[in-house]
Amino acid sequence: MDSIIVTGNGPLKGQIAIAGAKNACLTLMPATLLSEEPLTLTNAPRLSDIKTMTTLLQSLGAEVSQLQGGQVLVMSSHALDNHVADYDIVRKMRASILVLGPMLARDGHAVVSLPGGCAIGARPVDLHLKALEAMGAELELKDGYVHARAPGGLRGGVVDFPIVSVGATENALMAATLAKGTTVLKNAAREPEIVDLAQCLRRMGAQIEGEGTHTITIQGVDRLGGATHPVVTDRIELGTYMLAPAICGGEVELLGGRIDLVGAFCEKLDAAGVSVEETAKGLKVSHKNGRVKAVDVVTEPFPGFPTDLQAQMMALMCTAEGTSVLEEKIFENRFMHAPELIRMGANIEVHGGTATVTGVDRLKGAPVMATDLRASVSLILAGLAAEGETIVSRVYHLDRGYEHVVSKLEGVGAKIERVSDR
Ligand code: UD1
């Protein structure tokens, strides 16, 4: 297992290119199962989660080839010769559940392992299943697998989500494209990844209206064709690197960055005293060396402050002037980075879904352990601001969602290296 060693060394300067969104790519890839014709994704990120989805699609009979070092994915699902998504793959990545809707919609049957527990909370899939049931699917849970059937094909229906779920909206949206009649998704997620999926499905011939709003209406079609689609910019990678100059000073331009992807997050940076400017190529973030102001954060579905940036924002608040309160409203148990940040000298108290952070002058480098994807990058950010060496172990979490993190940060002057554990 590898570790990353970060040594705080002051202001950063330069440019970082932001990749295509992991979470968009993980929902766009299963869309290939809806069509016999090829689906090509450009601007794909090079991540281990993408490899896991590739393995899953291949296990179902899809062909997936990577071009341009993995930035282009060409997928073809001419005929699916297996309709069982095996536990051994699904347990590695929850997004595997996204093959259920497309397989069921196209071939009328699918068996998908339940994803099981997850480090950031229980994360059930009941909303995915209820949505498919509303479209006429017959479901049975047996031996840890969902057995789904729709003998005469799925039919349009009204799905009223009791809470906003990104994944359940995506599964239902994909399934509805091939259902007979009209499907209305109410209280749908409005994340940019949903908008990106709808745009890709429309390129494939789907009839969809209302993506990006609370209500999405889908008119089912008989078949979908092929398409080429660029994956939207990763707003979480963008927000993460925007925090790098905020936390240790400097000026960094994030190439491909867009304000509309990170609006609520930018408001908090502004309140903290960090400057964000739009440029011809993206966003420029600058902050003079010195402490930012404490700000309070509540995580919410898009367009609110994203839960996937909560850990990184906490790292910034560790050295802010004053006390900030971070409330996690999406996932229980998503403060596992707090004890690690405390090891670096942070003053954090966690009570249930609320963390109270009182800024300290300076963090101190320490050996720390990555516990999940976003937690691991928050420790790297904290390391940029700390005195001395921070050794982050278990960085395989990081490889799931951040490509080339070492070279991207090195490119703007950070002292960071990856070492293999003996
Ligand atoms: C997606 C993202 C993840 C992000 C999250 C919230 C991907 C691959 N992952 O996860 O990075 O943190 O959105 O922005 O895109 N829930 C249920 N039943 C369900 C589904 C969800 O109760 O069937 C609950 C969850 O436990 C959670 C809330 O709904 O409390 C929102 O989860 P959801 O939006 O579904 O997250 P994911 O799609 O899993």
Side-chain angles (χ1 to χ4, degrees):
M1 271 189 276
D2 293 0
S3 302
I4 287 183
I5 305 177
V6 194
T7 311
N9 69 334
L12 304 175
K13 189 158 181 59
Q15 296 177 323
I16 297 178
I18 304 302
K22 168 183 86 80
N23 287 351
C25 201
L26 288 177
T27 185
L28 292 164
M29 291 175 76
T32 184
L33 301 173
L34 290 164
S35 171
E36 290 180 7
E37 289 173 36
L39 174 62
T40 300
L41 298 177
T42 59
N43 197 35
R46 283 143 309 170
L47 303 167
S48 65
D49 270 8
I50 301 301
K51 283 194 190 132
T52 306
M53 183 57 85
T54 299
T55 307
L56 176 57
L57 294 176
Q58 286 169 335
S59 78
L60 303 172
E63 286 166 25
V64 183
S65 22
Q66 297 188 352
L67 307 178
Q68 295 180 23
Q71 269 186 310
V72 175
L73 298 173
V74 182
M75 296 167 293
S76 176
S77 309
H78 187 65
L80 302 181
D81 51 21
N82 171 34
H83 290 77
V84 182
D86 198 77
Y87 176 65
D88 274 346
I89 306 177
V90 176
R91 73 185 166 85
K92 290 192 191 141
M93 191 181 67
R94 272 182 54 82
S96 306
I97 192 76
L98 295 171
V99 300
L100 177 60
M103 263 201 294
L104 183 62
R106 172 163 154 191
D107 290 340
H109 61 111
V111 178
V112 177
S113 168
L114 286 168
C118 157
I120 60 171
R123 298 183 84 176
V125 291
D126 56 320
L127 301 175
H128 298 241
L129 305 185
K130 285 196 181 112
L132 295 172
E133 271 178 334
M135 288 182 234
E138 296 161 13
L139 305 176
E140 200 187 344
L141 300 184
K142 226 170 33 189
D143 307 326
Y145 282 76
V146 183
H147 293 250
R149 294 186 63 78
L154 291 173
R155 49 174 197 274
V158 176
V159 180
D160 197 352
F161 292 107
I163 56 169
V164 176
S165 162
V166 176
T169 302
E170 290 166 345
N171 233 334
L173 175 58
M174 286 190 278
T177 58
L178 292 180
K180 286 190 191 74
T182 307
T183 301
V184 182
L185 306 180
K186 294 185 177 174
N187 199 23
R190 293 183 284 165
E191 269 65 4
E193 293 76 25
I194 305 276
V195 174
D196 201 38
L197 174 63
Q199 283 169 353
C200 175
L201 292 169
R202 208 179 282 121
R203 285 190 160 115
M204 293 167 74
Q207 292 190 15
I208 301 168
E209 275 174 24
E211 74 274 14
T213 74
H214 287 301
T215 306
I216 307 179
T217 306
I218 307 108
Q219 185 69 48
V221 296
D222 286 342
R223 59 177 295 282
L224 293 178
T228 297
H229 178 82
V231 180
V232 68
T233 298
D234 195 318
R235 64 197 166 96
I236 306 301
E237 192 197 25
L238 170 64
T240 300
Y241 289 125
M242 286 171 79
L243 284 169
I247 207 163
C248 64
E251 184 177 284
V252 175
E253 188 177 20
L254 295 312
L255 305 177
R258 281 169 29 199
I259 287 274
D260 62 309
L261 296 175
V262 282
F265 171 73
C266 284
E267 281 168 25
K268 292 296 173 186
L269 284 188
D270 185 50
V274 177
S275 147
V276 180
E277 240 180 276
E278 287 186 88
T279 65
K281 293 181 189 162
L283 298 177
K284 190 184 279 176
V285 178
S286 45
H287 184 62
K288 294 209 175 70
N289 234 342
R291 294 170 72 177
V292 299
K293 291 189 225 82
V295 290
D296 295 340
V297 168
V298 180
T299 63
E300 286 172 337
F302 192 85
F305 191 99
T307 173
D308 286 353
L309 284 173
Q310 177 260 110
Q312 301 89 313
M313 192 67 179
M314 187 186 287
L316 178 67
M317 289 300 109
C318 286
T319 52
E321 251 173 50
T323 297
S324 54
V325 176
L326 290 93
E327 259 185 275
E328 176 55 61
K329 294 268 201 190
I330 309 289
F331 295 114
E332 75 268 32
N333 197 19
R334 202 174 195 183
F335 287 132
M336 286 171 304
H337 39 286
E340 302 302 311
L341 291 168
I342 290 169
R343 290 174 49 74
M344 299 175 69
N347 180 350
I348 305 170
E349 278 181 35
V350 175
H351 292 290
T354 303
T356 306
V357 185
T358 303
V360 295
D361 257 353
R362 193 85 210 257
L363 293 174
K364 298 218 166 39
V368 287
M369 200 182 281
T371 48
D372 72 46
L373 170 57
R374 308 304 171 186
S376 51
V377 84
S378 77
L379 300 174
I380 291 184
L381 288 173
L384 292 174
E387 196 179 314
E389 217 176 63
T390 298
I391 304 165
V392 184
S393 58
R394 299 202 178 168
V395 294
Y396 56 85
H397 289 293
L398 203 69
D399 297 332
R400 293 188 48 199
Y402 289 89
E403 63 169 39
H404 307 146
V405 67
V406 168
S407 56
K408 285 188 181 188
L409 285 172
E410 247 176 1
V412 292
K415 198 166 171 212
I416 179 166
E417 63 174 322
R418 184 169 181 137
V419 293
S420 293
D421 295 349
R422 268 155 252 139

